[in-house]
Amino acid sequence: MPESKPPRTLKHATLERLMHYYHYIGEQIAQQSMGTVSSSEIAKLLDTDDTVVRKDMAAIGVRGYPRVGFKADEVLAAIRDVLGFDNAYRAIIIGAGRLGSALASYPGFSRYGLRIDALLDSDPSRAGAIEGGVEVRPLDELESIIEAHNVGLAILTVPAEAAQPLADRMVNAGLRAIWNFAPTSLVVPSGVLVRHEHISVGLAELAYHLNRRDTKEASE
Amino acid sequence: MPESKPPRTLKHATLERLMHYYHYIGEQIAQQSMGTVSSSEIAKLLDTDDTVVRKDMAAIGVRGYPRVGFKADEVLAAIRDVLGFDNAYRAIIIGAGRLGSALASYPGFSRYGLRIDALLDSDPSRAGAIEGGVEVRPLDELESIIEAHNVGLAILTVPAEAAQPLADRMVNAGLRAIWNFAPTSLVVPSGVLVRHEHISVGLAELAYHLNRRDTKEASE
DNA sequence: TAGATTGTTAATCGATTAACAATC
DNA sequence: TAGATTGTTAATCGATTAACAATC
């Protein structure tokens, strides 16, 4: 067996860049069926350095071709492989409010290997409805759905006060990752991954820059 | 006039930490009316170093009290001031789909100084409806609303293909920042700030870690 | 006062950038 | 071949951490 590159852990920043490469190269291919792309082309568009791009490629095991660049399909395949887009993970959404329903209808999930099996809601009268092709189920089926479908990920779109108790129940049921859209932090055992999607961080940045602009203009 | 600290530009990472401090201290105050908090207390909860916290405090002009810590209300006031939470920026939401409607109903915006003046939609028959207390207006009023209300920020929740043309129109009308929830990148003049809220970045990280867990278990 | 905590400088670490030989 | 681009090592830069005097 040929020695395969040990895939050491990729950092958050690297994963984010990989996702950008994936989108950029995917779009380029669709538009102007080009087969190769150089590190400097990618770097220019993503506003980074070409050395960074080449190091990222090395990190995911893609080799380039001197004088030519990288083959677009090889790069896309490597990213799909590293990020597990072809693994068909099972996920559920908890909270069938507007955000939960919007996410249930989002066609992008399946492209990234995520399959939404159910949309749970605390209001039992909503059970049976279909949102974005996903059936709404009552919340007390939480544990049985997680176990029956081998669900790995829960997308939490509930009010802040409901989030922690639900997280506890899901962790007990064997869930391994939580994508938290509730505006509160969660405490979970170390084996469980929580990604907190905190909208106010973006807001802070926008507010700060809008503010700066004002003061700058005022003082000039 | 006493020499006031020149507020040099805060980095993205700093802004993100400030937002976390703001939430953490706000919650602590609400729960157990404590008046002071030490840098190491904050650091422990946010999983960072106490030196970082003290440097951030210095950056926003807050002085601590040796042996005591920082006064919670002074910290909160300084963050509000730096991030401009009390400035009442005008914003509009474009795209009254599920995500746009969900954001229109989000009570958090006003807490951060953002006032949603209108919700625009390309379907004229929706005009006049109320979503989360915000009136839906037809899209062709875009320019007039931006100018009449002195709108600084637009929240874009439209399909990918509609985003760039709308961005162009808004920039022409004098808009200064775009919060882009459409799954596509935008090209704007250098004076305009775009913050792209790209859901697939979070997805990539979750997929990667779920994947790693699997391979780890399998190889052990 | 003694001791806890700040404020700040110095040391370490990691990430970014520059340089350049290897390659086709 | 000549030249463009990769792959990788070395140099630089910035951010994180450690240390410690100043303070109340």
Side-chain angles (χ1 to χ4, degrees):
Chain A
M1 176 160 123
E3 177 192 18
S4 71
K5 189 154 308 193
R8 52 188 82 73
T9 304
L10 301 175
K11 302 266 171 60
H12 172 87
T14 309
L15 292 172
E16 197 167 327
R17 284 196 305 270
L18 288 180
M19 206 64 191
H20 290 159
Y21 302 159
Y22 190 76
H23 287 139
Y24 165 63
I25 296 174
E27 280 169 22
Q28 291 298 305
I29 281 189
Q31 282 176 20
Q32 24 151 328
S33 58
M34 54 66 155
T36 62
V37 59
S38 74
S39 57
S40 55
E41 283 180 90
I42 300 176
K44 195 176 354 168
L45 240 107
L46 305 192
D47 202 34
T48 181
D49 194 89
D50 56 317
T51 309
V52 170
V53 176
R54 293 204 292 279
K55 279 183 179 161
D56 286 342
M57 294 303 168
I60 60 173
V62 175
R63 288 194 69 85
Y65 302 86
R67 218 197 112 84
V68 176
F70 295 86
K71 291 196 178 167
D73 55 357
E74 289 181 6
V75 175
L76 294 183
I79 295 176
R80 290 189 73 78
D81 185 54
V82 165
L83 299 184
F85 289 165
D86 297 321
N87 283 11
Y89 276 101
R90 301 303 192 80
I92 53 176
I93 298 175
I94 308 191
R98 266 175 291 230
L99 179 56
S101 304
L103 290 173
S105 311
Y106 179 56
F109 288 140
S110 62
R111 281 203 297 272
Y112 301 118
L114 215 65
R115 175 179 157 166
I116 309 295
D117 271 342
L119 178 55
L120 281 73
D121 199 88
S122 61
D123 178 358
S125 73
R126 300 203 48 189
I130 304 289
E131 294 276 2
V134 180
E135 191 181 0
V136 178
R137 302 299 313 157
L139 193 55
D140 55 19
E141 293 180 10
L142 178 62
E143 285 82 0
S144 61
I145 290 176
I146 290 177
E147 284 155 20
H149 291 240
N150 191 26
V151 170
L153 171 70
I155 303 174
L156 253 192
T157 59
V158 298
E161 60 277 12
Q164 183 65 57
L166 282 168
D168 295 340
R169 284 177 61 184
M170 296 190 291
V171 168
N172 274 337
L175 198 96
R176 307 212 312 283
I178 298 174
W179 200 356
N180 181 29
F181 288 82
T184 182
S185 50
L186 298 176
V187 180
V188 297
S190 64
V192 177
L193 175 71
V194 172
R195 161 130 187 153
H196 189 182
E197 214 65 53
H198 211 317
I199 201 172
S200 61
V201 170
L203 221 164
E205 195 158 354
L206 288 160
Y208 176 67
H209 283 279
L210 281 168
N211 236 27
R212 296 273 302 175
R213 184 77 49 76
D214 282 358
T215 52
K216 217 177 180 181
E217 283 170 359
S219 68
E220 273 168 8
Chain B
M1 178 160 122
E3 177 191 16
S4 70
K5 188 153 307 191
R8 54 187 82 72
T9 304
L10 301 175
K11 301 265 171 61
H12 173 86
T14 308
L15 292 171
E16 196 166 326
R17 284 196 304 272
L18 288 180
M19 207 63 192
H20 290 159
Y21 302 159
Y22 189 76
H23 287 139
Y24 165 62
I25 296 174
E27 280 169 22
Q28 292 298 307
I29 281 189
Q31 281 175 22
Q32 25 152 327
S33 59
M34 55 64 157
T36 63
V37 58
S38 73
S39 58
S40 54
E41 283 179 272
I42 299 176
K44 196 177 352 169
L45 241 107
L46 304 192
D47 202 34
T48 183
D49 195 89
D50 56 318
T51 308
V52 170
V53 175
R54 292 203 293 279
K55 279 184 179 159
D56 286 342
M57 295 302 168
I60 60 173
V62 175
R63 288 194 69 83
Y65 302 85
R67 217 197 112 84
V68 176
F70 295 84
K71 291 198 179 167
D73 54 357
E74 288 180 8
V75 175
L76 294 184
I79 295 177
R80 292 189 72 80
D81 185 54
V82 166
L83 299 184
F85 289 165
D86 298 321
N87 283 12
Y89 276 102
R90 301 304 191 80
I92 55 176
I93 299 175
I94 308 191
R98 266 175 291 228
L99 180 55
S101 302
L103 289 174
S105 310
Y106 179 55
F109 288 140
S110 61
R111 281 204 297 273
Y112 301 118
L114 215 64
R115 174 179 159 165
I116 309 294
D117 272 341
L119 179 55
L120 281 74
D121 199 88
S122 60
D123 178 358
S125 73
R126 301 203 48 190
I130 304 288
E131 295 275 3
V134 180
E135 190 181 1
V136 178
R137 303 299 312 157
L139 194 54
D140 54 20
E141 293 182 8
L142 179 62
E143 285 82 0
S144 61
I145 290 176
I146 290 176
E147 284 155 22
H149 292 240
N150 191 24
V151 170
L153 171 71
I155 302 174
L156 252 192
T157 59
V158 299
E161 60 276 13
Q164 183 65 58
L166 283 168
D168 295 341
R169 283 177 63 185
M170 297 190 290
V171 168
N172 273 337
L175 198 96
R176 305 213 314 283
I178 297 175
W179 200 355
N180 180 29
F181 288 82
T184 183
S185 50
L186 298 175
V187 179
V188 297
S190 65
V192 178
L193 174 71
V194 171
R195 160 125 188 157
H196 190 183
E197 214 65 53
H198 210 317
I199 200 172
S200 61
V201 169
L203 221 165
E205 195 159 353
L206 288 160
Y208 176 66
H209 283 280
L210 281 168
N211 236 28
R212 296 272 303 173
R213 185 79 48 76
D214 282 359
T215 52
K216 219 178 180 179
E217 284 171 357
S219 67
E220 274 171 6

